[in-house]
C-alpha cells in the first residue's frame, strides 16, 4: 500500500495505464455508436498515453531549479506528453484531465486521499473548460463522477479514495446509455469513459499492489431508433473576438456560459495558475460589445482583437504576416495527391497534436489554415492551433468533416485576399458542401434509418445513417439522388481503396440519366472503410 503518490508511482501509473489500455484497445474501439468499421477511440487513447510515457522516459529525473515537486514534475511531463500526442476528442480531453490533475498537486508536498480528490476535481474542470459544448454521457460525465465520489470520501487514505473514485467512474460509465440515446440504440457504453475507467483501475493497482481490473458494464437493451441531436458549428457569426484575460477560474466558468450563448467556435484555455490565472479566449460572435463586456465582468481582458476583416485596415506589410499555407489531413493516397496538387501540406490520417504542429511549423508560414476532415481530428487541430501560438504562428481551423468539404474550401482559396477573409470564404465553401459516406455495416445495430446487420450497405449523410441497402451501387446511386433532391449543381465522387471496379462510372451514368444538368467529378481517393465519398455543391 502507498500512502502518497510519489514520482515513481506516477511513472508506474503511466506505464501500467498504457499496458491496460493496450489490453482493452480492441474492446474500446468496438464501442461505436454507429456500426461503421472505423471506431478508433481505444487506439487514440493508446497513442495519447504512449506519448505521455515517452515524455516521462526522456526525462533524466532532474528537477528544474525552482518549480514543482518531484511528483508534480512527473505529472506535468505526463500531461504535456499527452497533449502533444493527443489524438481524437477523447485523447484531447484526457490530456486536459492530466493537465488539471498535475496543476493541482504540482506544488503540494504530498498527495494523499484529499489531494487526489482535489486533483480529480481540477482535472474535471480542465476537461469541461476545454470543450465548448460539453455533452453528458461521455468521458466528461465519467471523470466528474469520479471526482465527486473522491470528494465525498473525505479521507486522507489514498488507496481507499482512489478505489472509491474508480468504482464511481465505472457506475457512471454504466449509466452513459441513459444520457446519450445514440449509445442506447447501439447497445454500448461511452468509449472514452471506458478508457478513463481502465486508467483509474490502473492507478488503484499501483497504489494497492492488487489488480482491480473490471469488465466493461453491459448497458440496458438498445432502445428503438430515434433522432439524435448533433453538435454542429455555424457560419453565421461575422466577428472573431480574441483576448487574454486575468481572472479566477470560477469567474471564467461564468464567462464560458455567457460566450457560449453569444456564438460558437469557443475556446477558453488557461495556464493553470491559481488562484488567478491567465486565459486565452477565442469566440465567433455577431455582438462584439457583449463578448467584450462578458470578459470585463469576468476579470481583466487585454490584447483585445476584434476582427471583421472587411472593415479593418490592412496590416503593415512584412515577412511576419505575408506567408500563409494550408495543412490538410488526408486518409488515402488519391486524396493526398488531390490536396498536394492544390498546394497544401498533407498530413496522414488520425494525426497527433504534435504531428499537426510539426506540419504547421514545417510550412514556414506565419498564417496557416488547417482542414482536419473529421470531427475527432478537429479537436486535435484546435489543440495544435493553441500550441502554434507559442511559436508566433496564427492558425485557423476550418471545421471540415469530409475530404470533399476540404476540396471545396481549397477551390476558393485566394492569396490576394486578407488571410482572415480567405478563411471565412473557405469556411463558407466547406459549409455549403454537403457530404455523404457509403460503407458496409460491421455489426448488427439500430440506426435512425432502422436496424442493420453485418454486411449491409450504409449511406451516411452528414454523419447520420439515412439509407440501408444490400447492393453497393444501388445504395450509392440512391444517396446521390436523395442529396440532389435538396439542390446541387456539382457532384464529387471519391472511390475508396476497396471500391469495386466501375463503381464511380456507374454512379456517374446514373446522375447523367436522372440529373442531366449536374456536373460530376470522380477521382480515385484510396480511403479505407468507405468505398465511396460523395460531395454535393
Amino acid at each position: 500500500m502507498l500512502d502518497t503518490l510519489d514520482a515513481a508511482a506516477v511513472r508506474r501509473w503511466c506505464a501500467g495505464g498504457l499496458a491496460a489500455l493496450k489490453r482493452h484497445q480492441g474492446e474500446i474501439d468496438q464501442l461505436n455508436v454507429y456500426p461503421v468499421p472505423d471506431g478508433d477511440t481505444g487506439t487514440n487513447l493508446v497513442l495519447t498515453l504512449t506519448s505521455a510515457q515517452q515524455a516521462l522516459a526522456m526525462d533524466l529525473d532532474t528537477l528544474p531549479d525552482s518549480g514543482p515537486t518531484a511528483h508534480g514534475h512527473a505529472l506535468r511531463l505526463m500531461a504535456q506528453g499527452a497533449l502533444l500526442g493527443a489524438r481524437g476528442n477523447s485523447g484531447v480531453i484526457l490530456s486536459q484531465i492530466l493537465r488539471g490533475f498535475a496543476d493541482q498537486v504540482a506544488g503540494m508536498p504530498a498527495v494523499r486521499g484529499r489531494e487526489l480528490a482535489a486533483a480529480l476535481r481540477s482535472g474535471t474542470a480542465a476537461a469541461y473548460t476545454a470543450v465548448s459544448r460539453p455533452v453528458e454521457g461521455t468521458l466528461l460525465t465519467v471523470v466528474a463522477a469520479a471526482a465527486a465520489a473522491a470528494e465525498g470520501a473525505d479521507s486522507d487514505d489514498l488507496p481507499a479514495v482512489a478505489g472509491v473514485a474508480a468504482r464511481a467512474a465505472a457506475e457512471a460509465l454504466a449509466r452513459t446509455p441513459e444520457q446519450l440515446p445514440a449509445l442506447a440504440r447501439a447497445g454500448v457504453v461511452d468509449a472514452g469513459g471506458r478508457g478513463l475507467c481502465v486508467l483509474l483501475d490502473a492507478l488503484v493497482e499501483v497504489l494497492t499492489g492488487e489488480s482491480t481490473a473490471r469488465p466493461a458494464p453491459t448497458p440496458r437493451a438498445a432502445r428503438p431508433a430515434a433522432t439524435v441531436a448533433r453538435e454542429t458549428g455555424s457560419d453565421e457569426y461575422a466577428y472573431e473576438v480574441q483576448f487574454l484575460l486575468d481572472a479566477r477560474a470560477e469567474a471564467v466558468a461564468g464567462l464560458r456560459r455567457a460566450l457560449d450563448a453569444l456564438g460558437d467556435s469557443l475556446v477558453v484555455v488557461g495556464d493553470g495558475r491559481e488562484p488567478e490565472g491567465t486565459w486565452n479566449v477565442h469566440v465567433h460572435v455577431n455582438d462584439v460589445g457583449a463578448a467584450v463586456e462578458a470578459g470585463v465582468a469576468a476579470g481583466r481582458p487585454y490584447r483585445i482583437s476584434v476582427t471583421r476583416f472587411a472593415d479593418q485596415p490592412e496590416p503593415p506589410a512584412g515577412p511576419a504576416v505575408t506567408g500563409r499555407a494550408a495543412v490538410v489531413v488526408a486518409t488515402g493516397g488519391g486524396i493526398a495527391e488531390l490536396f498536394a496538387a492544390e498546394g497544401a501540406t498533407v498530413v496522414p490520417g488520425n494525426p497527433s497534436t504534435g504531428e499537426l504542429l510539426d506540419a504547421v511549423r514545417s510550412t514556414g508560414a506565419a498564417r496557416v489554415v488547417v482542414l482536419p476532415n473529421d470531427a475527432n481530428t478537429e479537436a486535435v487541430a484546435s489543440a495544435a492551433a493553441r500550441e502554434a501560438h507559442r511559436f508566433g504562428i496564427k492558425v485557423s481551423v476550418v471545421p471540415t468533416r469530409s475530404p470533399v468539404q476540404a476540396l471545396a474550401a481549397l477551390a476558393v482559396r485566394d492569396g490576394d485576399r486578407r488571410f482572415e477573409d480567405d478563411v471565412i470564404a473557405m469556411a463558407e465553401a466547406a459549409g455549403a458542401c454537403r457530404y455523404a459516406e457509403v460503407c458496409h455495416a460491421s455489426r448488427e445495430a439500430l440506426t435512425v434509418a432502422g436496424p442493420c446487420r453485418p454486411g449491409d450497405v450504409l449511406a451516411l449523410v452528414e454523419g447520420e445513417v439515412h439509407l440501408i441497402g444490400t447492393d453497393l451501387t444501388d445504395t450509392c446511386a440512391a444517396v446521390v439522388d436523395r442529396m440532389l433532391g435538396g439542390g446541387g449543381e456539382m457532384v464529387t465522387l471519391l472511390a475508396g481503396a476497396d471500391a469495386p471496379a466501375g463503381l464511380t462510372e456507374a454512379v456517374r451514368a446514373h446522375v447523367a440519366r436522372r440529373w442531366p444538368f449536374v456536373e460530376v467529378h470522380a477521382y480515385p481517393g484510396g480511403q479505407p472503410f468507405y468505398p465511396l465519398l460523395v460531395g454535393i455543391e
Side-chain angles (χ1 to χ4, degrees):
M1 289 280 191
L2 292 180
D3 295 329
T4 63
L5 184 69
D6 57 19
V10 170
R11 293 173 180 276
R12 291 200 302 275
W13 176 32
C14 188
L18 176 57
L21 282 173
K22 287 180 177 178
R23 290 196 299 272
H24 294 278
Q25 180 175 342
E27 168 207 323
I28 297 173
D29 279 343
Q30 288 299 312
L31 296 178
N32 264 345
V33 295
Y34 276 118
V36 295
D38 61 351
D40 56 2
T41 299
T43 300
N44 287 340
L45 289 174
V46 166
L47 293 171
T48 300
L49 209 63
T50 296
S51 180
Q53 188 184 43
Q54 289 172 345
L56 283 169
M58 292 175 64
D59 181 56
L60 300 177
D61 290 322
T62 57
L63 283 169
D65 294 335
S66 62
T69 58
H71 60 263
H73 180 57
L75 283 167
R76 284 187 170 171
L77 285 172
M78 184 177 173
Q80 182 66 13
L83 174 63
L84 293 178
R87 297 177 191 250
N89 285 327
S90 293
V92 171
I93 293 173
L94 176 61
S95 74
Q96 294 305 296
I97 292 171
L98 293 173
R99 194 218 78 191
F101 193 113
D103 289 349
Q104 177 66 28
V105 300
M108 293 180 176
V111 180
R112 298 186 176 87
R114 286 185 174 84
E115 289 78 14
L116 175 62
L120 286 171
R121 175 57 61 197
S122 176
T124 299
Y128 272 88
T129 298
V131 179
S132 63
R133 298 183 188 274
V135 176
E136 297 304 329
T138 64
L139 169 55
L140 296 172
T141 305
V142 176
V143 70
E151 290 171 330
D154 193 23
S155 170
D156 282 330
D157 188 329
L158 179 61
V161 172
V164 166
R167 286 192 295 273
E171 292 167 1
L173 177 66
R175 293 192 297 270
T176 55
E178 300 172 18
Q179 297 168 292
L180 275 182
L183 296 176
R185 286 201 311 274
V188 297
V189 295
D190 179 68
R194 173 58 176 149
L196 180 67
C197 288
V198 170
L199 285 179
L200 290 176
D201 285 341
L203 176 60
V204 174
E205 183 171 353
V206 167
L207 297 176
T208 64
E210 300 176 0
S211 175
T212 59
R214 66 195 92 213
T218 302
R220 298 176 182 176
R223 299 175 183 172
T227 299
V228 182
R230 300 174 62 244
E231 287 187 35
T232 58
S234 173
D235 296 327
E236 296 178 359
Y237 299 105
Y239 297 89
E240 179 189 58
V241 179
Q242 293 180 276
F243 54 85
L244 296 180
L245 177 74
D246 290 339
R248 292 177 175 269
E250 56 268 24
V252 172
L255 172 69
R256 286 180 54 81
R257 290 192 293 270
L259 293 180
D260 191 46
L262 291 173
D264 69 359
S265 299
L266 175 62
V267 177
V268 183
V269 180
D271 61 6
R273 288 184 297 163
E274 295 289 347
E276 181 174 295
T278 299
W279 306 78
N280 192 316
V281 181
H282 170 280
V283 66
H284 293 174
V285 296
N286 286 327
D287 192 339
V288 174
V292 176
E293 287 171 6
V296 173
R300 186 178 72 86
Y302 56 101
R303 294 189 187 176
I304 300 171
S305 171
V306 179
T307 308
R308 173 63 177 100
F309 298 101
D311 302 331
Q312 301 298 320
E314 290 288 336
V321 296
T322 55
R324 66 174 71 172
V327 172
V328 189
V329 179
T331 302
I335 294 174
E337 290 178 7
L338 289 173
F339 290 143
E342 293 290 337
T345 297
V346 180
V347 179
N350 197 30
S352 68
T353 306
E355 287 169 343
L356 266 183
L357 180 60
D358 287 345
V360 167
R361 297 183 67 190
S362 73
T363 66
R367 298 190 175 188
V368 179
V369 61
V370 176
L371 306 171
N373 291 337
D374 69 61
N376 279 335
T377 305
E378 185 180 335
V380 175
S382 296
R386 295 192 293 269
E387 289 294 304
H389 181 73
R390 295 170 41 230
F391 300 96
I393 305 172
K394 179 179 176 60
V395 175
S396 292
V397 179
V398 174
T400 51
R401 299 297 178 90
S402 171
V404 293
Q405 288 188 313
L407 288 172
L410 289 172
V412 302
R413 194 167 48 142
D414 185 350
D416 292 331
R417 279 193 294 243
R418 291 175 55 92
F419 174 74
E420 293 80 3
D421 288 335
D422 209 28
V423 171
I424 292 171
M426 294 174 72
E428 289 175 345
C433 178
R434 289 166 290 144
Y435 66 94
E437 304 141 326
V438 181
C439 66
H440 291 92
S442 59
R443 58 182 173 79
E444 186 174 343
L446 288 173
T447 76
V448 294
C452 70
R453 296 177 179 175
D456 283 350
V457 182
L458 306 180
L460 293 84
V461 178
E462 312 249 325
E464 296 279 8
V465 177
H466 276 227
L467 295 171
I468 300 173
T470 56
D471 183 83
L472 177 63
T473 301
D474 290 347
T475 305
C476 290
V479 74
V480 172
D481 284 344
R482 177 166 295 194
M483 296 176 75
L484 285 174
E489 300 175 350
M490 185 174 75
V491 176
T492 300
L493 305 174
L494 297 177
D498 298 325
L503 176 62
T504 55
E505 289 79 3
V507 176
R508 184 199 294 271
H510 173 83
V511 173
R513 289 192 302 270
R514 288 288 305 275
W515 310 91
F517 300 106
V518 173
E519 184 180 354
V520 180
H521 297 277
Y523 307 97
Q527 69 274 2
F529 306 129
Y530 299 97
L532 190 69
L533 299 179
V534 180
I536 304 290
E537 300 175 61

